[in-house]
Amino acid sequence: MTGTNERTGTTPDEIRAVPVRHYGRWVAGVVIVFAAVLVLRSVATNANMEWGVVGDYLFNDRVIRGLQNTLILTAISMVIGVAGGIVLAVMRMSPNPLTSGAAGIYIWLFRGTPLITQLVIWNYLALFYPRLGIGIPFGPEFAGANTNSLITPFMAALLGLGLNEAAYMAEIVRGGILSVDAGQLEAASALGMSRGKTLRRIILPQAMRVIIPPTGNETIAMLKTTSLVVVIGYFELMTAVQQIYAQNYKIAPLLIVAALWYLFLTSVLTLIQMQIEKHFARGTSRAEATRVTWANRMLGFRFGNRDQGGQR
């Protein structure tokens, strides 16, 4: 900045801005790159990894079958969880104390006990109820069947994963609904809209912007959580891998096979989540915030200028 001092008639020197040198960042960057090179070299050259065996079993028939069952289990469990979560969230926010209390007890029970315990209980439900039937309470039974024939490992896995997920989704949906301004509900009531119609047409579409990100995280978590069903004998990706290395004793490479498939699937789900977030963020101030790259979202790398007016 230049100018003449009116009192002295002198011209001050031009101010020369010098950028701040972040030497600590450069040192940290060099250390991280060096450590990354060491890790990658160790993984690539470690003979115990047996990358040839990994390649042989990556598309093995049993592994692919287990992978298919994992995807099926994840999809159906999330459908049960999301549908149940919406119902529970609406019940939890109901003015009826019995309805909200019942939803609260459900959430407390399923979030308060380990998922692996719930899976085992569902698998051995016959120990508690040897026979399941439909009929009049304390009266005749119209239809029934042996519990062991109804609760297969697949059914036990669905019940355990789906019902447990519903408890967590209920809180996610409730948080999304509460994020919508109360004036929206009042305006809908003034127009004579019913509570159900208001929820479907006004509240939920706006709440989806808040609900989608944690739901995507829950889906990714569910994909990995399905590996717990190995305790009840259901055949999925980890079960397939364990069966193979129990025969050939190639434990390390088979575990790498499972890890690679989980990494691939979670990456695909992350990309799908990004697209859904962009869709529901259209027309809002959050639309710009959702424009992140694949590397930004999954690996945390930042390229280009920072958002919010920050500098490189």
Side-chain angles (χ1 to χ4, degrees), residues 54-68 70-71 223-224 237-238 240-241 244 253-269:
V54 172
D56 292 338
Y57 283 96
L58 193 60
F59 297 99
N60 180 270
D61 290 341
R62 277 189 287 180
V63 171
I64 296 301
R65 240 182 323 120
L67 185 64
Q68 291 174 345
T70 294
L71 292 173
L223 175 70
K224 296 176 288 186
L237 180 57
M238 276 304 299
V241 166
I244 295 173
L254 265 300
L255 290 177
I256 293 174
V257 167
L260 289 176
W261 275 118
Y262 281 122
L263 281 172
F264 171 74
L265 292 174
T266 53
S267 301
V268 172
L269 289 176

Side-chain angles (χ1 to χ4, degrees), residues 22-34:
H22 299 285
Y23 297 108
R25 294 182 185 178
W26 286 103
V27 172
V30 171
V31 171
I32 291 172
V33 170
F34 181 70

Side-chain angles (χ1 to χ4, degrees), residues 175-312:
I177 293 175
L178 291 176
S179 70
V180 180
D181 189 86
Q184 301 281 336
L185 184 61
E186 295 172 1
S189 299
L191 293 174
M193 297 179 67
S194 65
R195 185 179 178 86
K197 192 173 184 180
T198 301
L199 185 67
R200 294 193 311 270
R201 298 285 185 86
I202 297 176
I203 304 299
L204 279 180
Q206 297 181 70
M208 290 299 287
R209 297 168 190 154
V210 177
I211 294 172
I212 288 298
T215 301
N217 292 338
E218 288 294 310
T219 304
I220 292 171
M222 176 65 74
L223 175 70
K224 296 176 288 186
T225 304
T226 54
S227 60
L228 291 179
V229 301
V230 68
V231 300
I232 60 175
Y234 182 68
F235 186 83
E236 46 77 56
L237 180 57
M238 276 304 299
T239 310
V241 166
Q242 288 180 346
Q243 288 182 0
I244 295 173
Y245 72 60
Q247 296 173 350
N248 61 13
Y249 302 105
K250 300 291 186 179
I251 298 176
L254 265 300
L255 290 177
I256 293 174
V257 167
L260 289 176
W261 275 118
Y262 281 122
L263 281 172
F264 171 74
L265 292 174
T266 53
S267 301
V268 172
L269 289 176
T270 300
L271 293 175
I272 294 173
Q273 178 185 345
M274 289 170 57
Q275 296 304 315
I276 297 175
E277 286 182 21
K278 286 181 182 179
H279 173 77
F280 283 99
R282 289 182 304 176
T284 68
S285 59
R286 291 182 56 191
E288 278 298 318
T290 59
R291 293 178 183 176
V292 294
T293 64
W294 177 89
N296 282 358
R297 184 56 176 271
M298 285 191 285
L299 303 179
F301 294 131
R302 295 180 179 179
F303 301 107
N305 292 331
R306 292 182 181 177
D307 294 330
Q308 308 301 328
Q311 296 180 351
R312 286 180 64 88

Side-chain angles (χ1 to χ4, degrees), residues 98-202:
L98 293 178
T99 303
S100 61
I105 291 173
Y106 180 99
I107 295 170
W108 167 75
L109 179 63
F110 280 86
R111 290 203 308 172
T113 54
L115 175 57
I116 193 168
T117 303
Q118 296 174 31
L119 287 169
V120 175
I121 288 175
W122 284 114
N123 192 53
Y124 292 104
L125 188 63
L127 296 176
F128 307 95
Y129 298 97
R131 183 176 177 83
L132 297 176
I134 301 174
I136 299 174
F138 309 106
E141 181 184 283
F142 301 133
N146 184 278
T147 303
N148 278 326
S149 62
L150 289 176
I151 307 298
T152 61
F154 176 68
M155 185 60 66
L158 281 183
L159 291 172
L161 295 172
L163 298 181
N164 178 268
E165 183 61 33
Y168 290 91
M169 283 302 306
E171 292 300 283
I172 291 174
V173 174
R174 188 170 72 92
I177 293 175
L178 291 176
S179 70
V180 180
D181 189 86
Q184 301 281 336
L185 184 61
E186 295 172 1
S189 299
L191 293 174
M193 297 179 67
S194 65
R195 185 179 178 86
K197 192 173 184 180
T198 301
L199 185 67
R200 294 193 311 270
R201 298 285 185 86
I202 297 176

